[in-house]
Amino acid sequence: MASGDQEVTLYTSVGSYWSQMVRLALAEKDVAHKTVEVDIMNYKHYDPEYVAINPACEVPALSHKGKNICGSQEIIDYVDQLKGLKKHDEAEKLRQKLVKLPIPEITIGVARHARNIEEVQGAKEIENILSALFERQATLKERLAKYPKLSSAYHGKLKQVMDFEGRVKTVKEVRKYLGDISSFLDKVIEPMLAKGTGGDWLFGSDFTNADIVLAALLARISFLGLAEYYWGGETDKRPNVKAYFNRLCDRSSFKQVLPELQQNINEHHIPMPAFVSLQECVITVPKP
């Protein structure tokens, strides 16, 4: 955005998968913005002040010139439109496939069953970090009782949470989702990278919206202690995915959004950053 950058406010959470995509996009597209950190581990995204911004009770959300744009992909599209960026057709097709992969299910499933999934490294720590996520239903019911005028938003979110958690009740269900990621990497990403793209990224030298989503996906896999399972180990499976991930870790936007990963690259494991209370700061984004 050539002008009015400081009118852009991003409501985000440092550990949110969908927020990480948007933060990467804003860094890549050189958008200066004000950030409001929403403490989702303490359910601040269910507070009335935030529900007024995003009735879906989710992060991220972006405010610009009196308009609220909610949802990661909607925000990325909005920024592209404002900056007049041309879409890469094939990248956009791949992006739509990537966002449908069951990373949110794997996140909650691993949090719930980590000690029973031997592929997960650091299972105990991951369970401890993410255990707060299992208070979502109780918290929403409390909000319903306390703020009846917002019952429509809270009922909608409660139904979504119940349906979602119902999909990851067993280790078997989580393993199916893990297999879905393996299949996609094997059938789409690894062959694509092995063939050569004419550059470091999925479609050459340009870091496209598909790369942004894949970057967040691979970072989440690493955070969940699954990097060895997907691209590491003695067999060195999926070497091109591994090489792509290593290139990501050297990219300035990735290091800016996920600095903890850079500190622990040799361990292939991202510690959960400390969740902070609502606070504001102005971010001027360097070019990648």
Side-chain angles (χ1 to χ4, degrees):
M1 289 166 229
S3 62
D5 277 1
Q6 297 305 324
E7 298 176 42
V8 176
T9 300
L10 177 66
Y11 297 85
T12 181
S13 182
V14 69
S16 160
Y17 176 58
W18 304 110
S19 293
Q20 287 164 3
M21 292 181 198
V22 171
R23 291 172 62 212
L24 281 168
L26 294 181
E28 288 289 335
K29 300 168 197 296
D30 196 23
V31 179
H33 58 285
K34 181 171 69 176
T35 292
V36 177
E37 181 70 22
V38 182
D39 186 355
I40 62 174
M41 297 301 274
N42 284 310
Y43 300 105
K44 295 299 182 182
H45 53 317
Y46 297 165
D47 284 358
E49 295 82 1
Y50 185 73
V51 176
I53 296 166
N54 186 357
C57 308
E58 298 174 348
V59 289
L62 184 141
S63 294
H64 182 236
K65 294 185 176 181
K67 180 189 297 185
N68 293 328
I69 302 92
C70 303
S72 61
Q73 305 312 300
E74 290 82 359
I75 293 171
I76 292 172
D77 288 338
Y78 181 79
V79 171
D80 283 349
Q81 182 179 11
L82 283 176
K83 295 208 72 170
L85 298 176
K86 185 179 179 181
K87 298 287 189 184
H88 186 298
D89 290 344
E90 291 305 310
E92 290 304 306
K93 290 177 183 178
L94 180 57
R95 171 190 168 199
Q96 294 307 315
K97 293 177 182 179
L98 285 163
V99 297
K100 293 177 181 177
L101 292 173
I103 290 296
E105 287 85 351
I106 289 174
T107 300
I108 299 301
V110 166
R112 175 171 286 173
H113 304 291
R115 299 191 201 197
N116 295 315
I117 301 174
E118 60 269 19
E119 294 87 350
V120 174
Q121 296 182 336
K124 181 179 178 181
E125 291 76 12
I126 290 170
E127 283 186 349
N128 291 339
I129 289 168
L130 298 179
S131 60
L133 294 174
F134 300 116
E135 299 298 323
R136 292 187 297 177
Q137 292 189 37
T139 304
L140 282 165
K141 290 174 182 177
E142 289 174 3
R143 296 292 199 279
L144 269 168
K146 190 173 182 179
Y147 305 109
K149 290 184 179 180
L150 297 174
S151 61
S152 177
Y154 291 138
H155 274 302
K157 184 61 178 178
L158 181 59
K159 182 180 185 304
Q160 181 192 54
V161 168
M162 292 175 68
D163 289 346
F164 183 86
E165 292 183 358
R167 298 198 293 273
V168 291
K169 285 184 175 180
T170 68
V171 172
K172 182 178 179 180
E173 290 168 319
V174 179
R175 285 194 178 282
K176 176 189 177 300
Y177 295 127
L178 293 174
D180 290 341
I181 301 298
S182 292
S183 179
F184 192 85
L185 292 177
D186 287 339
K187 294 179 180 179
V188 180
I189 302 300
E190 181 67 18
M192 185 176 181
L193 294 172
K195 184 178 179 180
T197 63
D200 286 340
W201 310 113
L202 290 170
F203 293 92
S205 58
D206 292 336
F207 199 81
T208 66
N209 288 337
D211 290 286
I212 287 170
V213 178
L214 182 58
L217 186 152
L218 297 180
R220 178 51 53 100
I221 285 174
S222 184
F223 162 65
L224 293 172
L226 289 165
E228 285 291 303
Y229 173 65
Y230 280 112
W231 62 76
E234 295 180 0
T235 59
D236 197 27
K237 54 189 171 185
R238 306 184 183 101
N240 293 288
V241 171
K242 182 177 182 179
Y244 178 94
F245 179 75
N246 288 337
R247 291 194 296 274
L248 277 174
C249 293
D250 286 331
R251 194 168 179 88
S252 62
S253 63
F254 194 80
K255 289 188 284 187
Q256 177 186 335
V257 172
L258 292 161
E260 294 81 10
L261 177 58
Q262 184 65 20
Q263 296 168 11
N264 292 272
I265 184 62
N266 292 330
E267 298 176 18
H268 291 290
H269 183 76
I270 307 174
M272 181 67 102
F275 283 91
V276 297
S277 301
L278 274 170
Q279 56 181 303
E280 297 187 1
C281 58
V282 175
I283 298 177
T284 302
V285 183
K287 291 183 180 298

